[in-house]
Structures are given as structure tokens and as C-alpha cells.
Amino acid sequence: MKITETVFDTFNKQTVKKITLTNDRGTSISLLNLGAIWNEFLVPSQSGQKNILLNFQHAQNYFDNPFYLGMAIGRTAGRIKNGQFTLDHELVTLPKNEGNNTLHGGPHGFNSFLWNYQATKNNNEASITFYRTILSTEDNYPGNLTATITYTLDNQNHVSLAFTGISDQTTVFNPTSHAYFNLSDKNDIKSLELTINSSEYLELSDDKIPTGHFIPVNDSPFDFQSSRQLGQSIEQMKNTKEKGFDDIYHVDNSKKIITSLTDQSSGRQLTISSARNGLVLFTSNSFTADMSFSTGAGTPYMGVALEAQTLPDSMNNPDFGDIILPANTKKTYTIDYQYTKK
Ligand code: GAL
């Protein structure tokens, strides 16, 4: 195992570092201390190394669009209706950053901070832990939250992403990763096959807030219970407002693996495991040419974000699950990514 550190860029007069963990098979992941961004997932390929993540070359590019590329998302993934909820009989009001709602932790989410970090390794794995205390006065959530975000790569090409949180007051905690994947050698994800271990997804209002209703996936483009080509389903969605997927699945997490993505032509596969009950599928429908990716201009369907989390806005929909973090209690949420190649 190897750990290297380089300067990625400067941002707001601060140095952004890029830390790379490489395993004995030549697979590596790179992370930025800005936003705890997952910047690269390089897997061995015939032409050297292939990056299966979308990324940018400059720090500023990450903040020039609303797509949270590769970023750590917290304290709470997804949208909170009207930026409000009741916690311990008190009304909590969060700052809004998308119309009348709070998205992905609001304007001062995990993605917006420069994190401290420490890297460690042994014979079989290397890790980097980002850590920071987010004061209630910084993001307006209840409680000062001490959070860690640990990315670990091992020699089996397994990446584990663990989030921990502990707060001095009862608060809410539902972090995720906003990595966008593309396993194919093409510039879009349409030829990839997707499975999602889910029989229902959430009905959403026009501003993408869950209404509380679940819709069965049966006989619809949303049905990925058996593996299905993303392009086929996207084609069937082309007359919708979104022109693709930006949807929240209620997943069956009893088998641990909640979703898998396969590129038949290269044999690359990624499976994602999570113990939580939600998965957002976002097929980058609205990417635009002014986004300058490392690989070139942005285009729709360049990547797919698969965001494991507890169903969002659960504070306003009690049957969606529980994201309460009681005072002085540490909680850990883990998302596991297993890469294989046939
Ligand atoms: C997703 C969300 C999308 C979009 C995206 C970031 O989680 O469902 O609507 O906001 O994040 O661009």
C-alpha cells in the first residue's frame, strides 16, 4: 500500500491537497481535503489506468455548478421541506439553498469545508480520515457536530466510506457521497447495466420534495430489480421533465448490496452496499457544456450518482426512517464500494 500527497490547487487562498491511496494491484483512489471530495478511482486497464469517477481539474470548477461532484454530503443528504422540522418538540429552521428548501446540508454543508486529515496504512489497506467540528453557528443545525469521513482502500479493490458523527446536542445526521461513476470507455453511461434492490420509489412534488407516497417500480422504466440497461430506461424517460432519473429508491438493505453497475464490454463492475434504506439515482440529465471536466465539456448522462442514505426528509415523514443523532452519542454510517473486473 502506498500513500502520496500533492498540491491540487488553491481555493479561497487556501491550499487544496490531493491525497492518493494506492494498493498492490495498482488501483488507487484520490481525495481532496476540500469538501472531502472523492476525486479519482483509478483502476488498471489496458491503456494504463482508467478513472471510473467524473472529476474536475480545478477546485473552483467544483463550485461553479449545482452538481456536488464527488463531494461528501452532510449533515443531511437530500431536500428538507421548507428547511424546517421539529426535533425534541422544538422547531428547527435551516438556511435554504434551493428555492424554499434546504438541499444537501444547506449553504454550509460538508462539501463547503476544508477538512483536517490524517492518513494511515498497513499491509492490506490504506485510509484517510477527514475530521472537523462543524459549529452550530456555522451551518445552523442544532448542536456542534464532530464528524469524521474515512475512505479506505484495500488490496481486494474494496473502498469503504465511513462517516461518524457525535454532537453536544441532539441533532440529525444522514451523510452520503455524491460520486458520479462511469465504468464504460464511452463518454456516457447509457450502455451500463444497473440493478437496484428496490421495489418502490418515492413520489416527489414539483420541487422534488417527497410527498410521503411510495410508487411500485413494476412495469415501469424505474424497475432495476433485474439488471437493465440504463440507456433503455433513460430513453423511456425522455418525455419527462427531468429527461432521465433524479429519483429516490426505497431499497431492501437486508442483502447489504443495494445496487450494482456493470459494463459488459470491459467487464468492469461496481457493487454498493449500505445498511440504510434509501438510494438516490441521478443520471446527470442536466449537465451542460460549460462544465469543464478533466475529460472535456459536460454532456447529459456522462455519469451516474448512486447516493446511499436514509430516505430524505425523514423528520417530516416518520416512516422514512430515523436520522436523529442523540446528544453525546456516536453514530457511524458506512457505504461500501466493491470494484471487480471479469
Ligand atoms: C441529487 C439530487 C438532485 C441534484 C443532485 C446534485 O441528490 O437528487 O436533484 O440536486 O443531487 O446536483
Side-chain angles (χ1 to χ4, degrees):
M1 303 297 308
K2 202 171 90 184
I3 300 172
T4 57
E5 199 178 308
T6 56
V7 171
F8 179 74
D9 204 352
T10 50
F11 185 67
N12 291 340
K13 299 194 177 122
Q14 288 178 297
T15 304
V16 179
K17 292 284 187 60
K18 171 176 159 182
I19 303 93
T20 302
L21 314 178
T22 306
N23 72 12
D24 300 345
R25 297 181 175 199
T27 299
S28 65
I29 61 171
S30 303
L31 301 312
L32 308 182
N33 58 340
L34 178 64
I37 288 171
W38 190 358
N39 180 248
E40 285 172 328
F41 190 169
L42 298 175
V43 298
S45 84
Q46 276 151 359
S47 51
Q49 278 185 311
K50 156 94 188 156
N51 188 10
I52 59 168
L53 281 182
L54 303 193
N55 69 9
F56 295 119
Q57 275 166 319
H58 298 287
Q60 182 61 48
N61 294 152
Y62 281 93
F63 297 92
D64 284 344
N65 59 74
F67 296 113
Y68 293 83
L69 220 86
M71 292 172 171
I73 305 293
R75 301 185 191 190
T76 53
R79 294 176 175 83
I80 297 172
K81 186 179 181 175
N82 300 330
Q84 281 189 338
F85 57 95
T86 308
L87 184 67
D88 278 352
H89 309 290
E90 280 190 39
L91 183 69
V92 174
T93 302
L94 299 174
K96 297 164 183 173
N97 59 336
E98 194 193 62
N100 201 35
N101 305 313
T102 300
L103 173 65
H104 292 334
H108 308 286
F110 284 7
N111 62 301
S112 66
F113 298 121
L114 201 67
W115 292 71
N116 308 304
Y117 61 92
Q118 185 166 19
T120 57
K121 63 172 183 162
N122 61 31
N123 285 339
N124 190 47
E125 58 182 42
S127 296
I128 175 145
T129 296
F130 295 102
Y131 58 97
R132 194 182 194 285
T133 296
I134 293 124
L135 301 174
S136 180
T137 51
E138 286 180 289
D139 68 357
N140 290 99
Y141 280 70
N144 300 310
L145 176 76
T146 298
T148 68
I149 305 172
T150 302
Y151 292 85
T152 303
L153 171 70
D154 71 14
N155 274 325
Q156 287 69 48
N157 287 339
H158 164 228
V159 176
S160 148
L161 172 52
F163 297 88
T164 70
I166 184 165
S167 166
D168 58 359
Q169 272 178 49
T170 296
T171 188
V172 285
F173 188 46
N174 186 20
T176 191
S177 163
H178 217 300
Y180 289 84
F181 299 95
N182 185 356
L183 304 181
S184 90
D185 292 311
K186 301 183 189 134
N187 198 28
D188 70 71
I189 52 162
K190 289 184 183 168
S191 60
L192 300 181
E193 285 174 19
L194 178 69
T195 60
I196 302 178
N197 200 2
S198 165
S199 59
E200 54 186 11
Y201 64 102
L202 298 187
E203 183 184 72
L204 303 176
S205 67
D206 279 348
D207 57 351
K208 300 205 152 286
I209 297 292
T211 62
H213 294 119
F214 295 88
I215 305 174
V217 298
N218 292 343
D219 305 317
S220 82
F222 290 82
D223 189 352
F224 293 98
Q225 293 176 101
S226 320
S227 145
R228 192 183 157 105
Q229 208 178 55
L230 262 168
Q232 262 174 27
S233 278
I234 288 172
E235 180 61 25
Q236 287 179 271
M237 302 281 283
K238 74 168 187 241
N239 294 325
T240 62
K241 189 174 149 204
E242 194 64 43
K243 300 185 172 63
F245 291 92
D246 181 5
D247 287 284
I248 307 164
Y249 284 83
H250 181 207
V251 294
D252 172 2
N253 48 15
S254 60
K255 297 187 191 77
K256 281 221 46 179
I257 294 180
I258 57 168
T259 182
S260 68
L261 194 63
T262 308
D263 178 36
Q264 292 294 359
S265 56
S266 65
R268 297 180 192 120
Q269 186 176 59
L270 186 74
T271 61
I272 302 180
S273 302
S274 155
R276 289 181 284 169
N277 67 352
L279 179 77
V280 171
L281 168 65
F282 180 52
T283 48
S284 52
N285 320 317
S286 41
F287 279 13
T288 48
D290 58 345
M291 298 168 72
S292 42
F293 288 89
S294 303
T295 50
T299 51
Y301 320 115
M302 271 179 87
V304 54
L306 294 159
E307 309 156 46
Q309 57 195 263
T310 298
L311 294 174
D313 206 21
S314 63
M315 306 81 108
N316 295 312
N317 295 277
D319 57 341
F320 282 9
D322 174 14
I323 63 162
I324 291 172
L325 181 66
N328 305 312
T329 310
K330 186 167 161 181
K331 274 203 188 179
T332 303
Y333 294 113
T334 307
I335 308 172
D336 288 286
Y337 304 86
Q338 177 66 56
Y339 174 76
T340 52
K341 189 171 184 304
K342 271 188 240 133

